[in-house]
């Protein structure tokens, strides 16, 4: 089995040793019970992966002796950067989407207030929600051994999200699309460097939102005749994209 990989700040690595404390220490030493001599990989924010073995384990910190460092395969894999542009769903569905999407390699998440979103984010709640959501992606990245943490951004509505989308390929998963299937569309596309996928809330997209997105170059596609829940749609599209263009 490949060594487990953890995120580390490059500042914690000096003279061939990395020192880990706080949550990282807790995760390695207490949760996973790794110890002296166990191999680990430490990925830093600059896109490097440092391979080494645990050297010393203290009560609140441990050190890793670094044996080699190289650019991470994630920064070199050539898979497209995938943005999930998701209308805010109900309750804890957001966290599910962030967690599973991080495991499946999403590059970032843009959450927006959809016209039919039942849930709302008031201005005074925004910062604490973003903090919480970013914690979810950071935790999921660590758990899944990813070397980069997907960012979570908030957009007030579809108009703002659509306007910001400069991705090479823009898809709108639309339950109302009858002609264009995802499969049909992808068979005509080359691998893009970046891709954004817009997904509606439980109530689906409002026609005005479909218009907004399509005017900004989003291509409406169908995932078939069955209606998927918003969280299923986002998990499914990521798995499909990773299979076709990623390293799955
Ligand atoms: N209430 C809507 C369904 C919304 S499903 C209805 O009954 O029609 C939530 C979101 O998941 C949709 O807005 C869409 O983005 C995506 N989705 C679900 N099923 C889909 C399908 N078969 N094709 C394309 N997108 C789909």
């Amino acid at each position: 089995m490949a060594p487990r990989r953890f995120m580390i700040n490059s500042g914690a690595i000096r003279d061939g040793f990395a020192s880990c404390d706080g949550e990282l220490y807790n995760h390695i030493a207490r949760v996973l019970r790794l110890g002296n001599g166990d191999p680990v990989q430490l990925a830093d924010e600059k896109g490097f992966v440092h391979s080494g073995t645990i050297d010393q384990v203290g009560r609140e910190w441990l050190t890793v002796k670094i044996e080699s460092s190289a650019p991470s395969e994630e920064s070199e894999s050539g898979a497209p950067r995938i943005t999930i542009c998701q209308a805010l769903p109900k309750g804890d569905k957001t966290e599910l989407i962030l967690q599973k999407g991080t495991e499946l390699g999403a590059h970032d998440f843009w959450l927006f207030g959809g016209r039919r979103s039942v849930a709302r984010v008031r201005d005074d709640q925004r910062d604490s929600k973003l903090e919480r959501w970013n914690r979810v992606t950071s935790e999921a990245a660590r758990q899944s051994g990813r070397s980069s943490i997907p960012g979570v951004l908030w957009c007030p509505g579809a108009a703002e999200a659509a306007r910001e989308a400069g991705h090479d390929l823009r898809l709108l998963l639309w339950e109302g699309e009858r002609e264009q299937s995802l499969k049909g569309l992808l068979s005509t596309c080359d691998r893009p460097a970046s891709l954004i996928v817009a997904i509606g809330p439980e109530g689906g997209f409002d026609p005005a939102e479909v218009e907004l997105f399509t005017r900004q170059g989003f291509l409406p596609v169908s995932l078939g005749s069955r209606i998927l829940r918003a969280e299923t749609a986002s998990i499914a599209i990521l798995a499909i994209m990773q299979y076709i263009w990623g390293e799955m």
Side-chain angles (χ1 to χ4, degrees), residues 173-175 198-205 221-230 233:
L173 299 190
W174 187 34
E175 60 280 14
I199 303 165
E202 289 80 5
F205 282 118
V221 289
S222 161
L223 293 181
S225 56
R226 293 167 305 272
I227 298 288
L228 313 179
R229 290 189 185 236

Side-chain angles (χ1 to χ4, degrees), residues 158-229:
E160 291 80 2
R163 203 184 320 122
E164 291 302 314
H167 301 64
D168 299 337
L169 180 61
R170 282 155 263 172
L171 300 180
L172 175 77
L173 299 190
W174 187 34
E175 60 280 14
E177 177 58 40
R178 293 286 166 267
E179 269 144 39
Q180 183 66 74
S181 70
L182 178 68
K183 199 177 200 166
L185 183 90
L186 295 182
S187 68
T188 67
C189 291
D190 290 332
R191 168 161 57 188
S194 59
L195 160 71
I196 184 166
V197 185
I199 303 165
E202 289 80 5
F205 282 118
D206 181 277
E209 291 174 319
V210 174
E211 158 102 34
L212 270 169
F213 279 113
T214 50
R215 239 191 289 135
Q216 296 290 332
F218 280 72
L219 307 169
V221 289
S222 161
L223 293 181
S225 56
R226 293 167 305 272
I227 298 288
L228 313 179
R229 290 189 185 236

Side-chain angles (χ1 to χ4, degrees), residues 44-180:
D44 70 23
E45 76 288 355
K46 295 179 177 159
F48 280 88
V49 176
H50 311 274
S51 303
T53 48
I54 296 177
D55 188 57
Q56 281 187 54
V57 182
R59 274 169 187 274
E60 287 173 4
W61 52 265
L62 57 85
T63 58
V64 174
K65 184 170 166 33
I66 306 293
E67 278 132 24
S68 65
S69 301
S72 73
E73 62 280 7
E74 232 170 69
S75 61
E76 299 204 310
S77 74
R81 279 180 283 117
I82 308 175
T83 300
I84 292 294
C85 178
Q86 170 73 59
L88 195 67
K90 276 195 236 168
D92 50 11
K93 295 290 164 57
T94 304
E95 292 187 13
L96 183 77
I97 290 168
L98 298 176
Q99 188 194 63
K100 303 303 170 207
T102 299
E103 289 169 31
L104 285 163
H107 177 264
D108 56 359
F109 298 89
W110 297 5
L111 298 169
F112 68 95
R115 291 203 180 190
R116 297 186 183 162
S117 287
V118 175
R120 296 263 169 244
V121 174
R122 293 196 317 267
D123 285 350
D124 63 320
Q125 293 175 315
R126 202 185 50 210
D127 290 350
S128 64
K129 293 248 182 208
L130 279 170
E131 203 176 296
R132 161 107 205 114
W133 292 332
N134 277 290
R135 256 208 316 275
V136 173
T137 57
S138 134
E139 193 50 46
R142 178 161 61 196
Q143 185 278 133
S144 61
R146 271 187 72 165
S147 57
S148 56
I149 301 174
V152 186
L153 303 173
W154 173 252
C155 304
E160 291 80 2
R163 203 184 320 122
E164 291 302 314
H167 301 64
D168 299 337
L169 180 61
R170 282 155 263 172
L171 300 180
L172 175 77
L173 299 190
W174 187 34
E175 60 280 14
E177 177 58 40
R178 293 286 166 267
E179 269 144 39
Q180 183 66 74

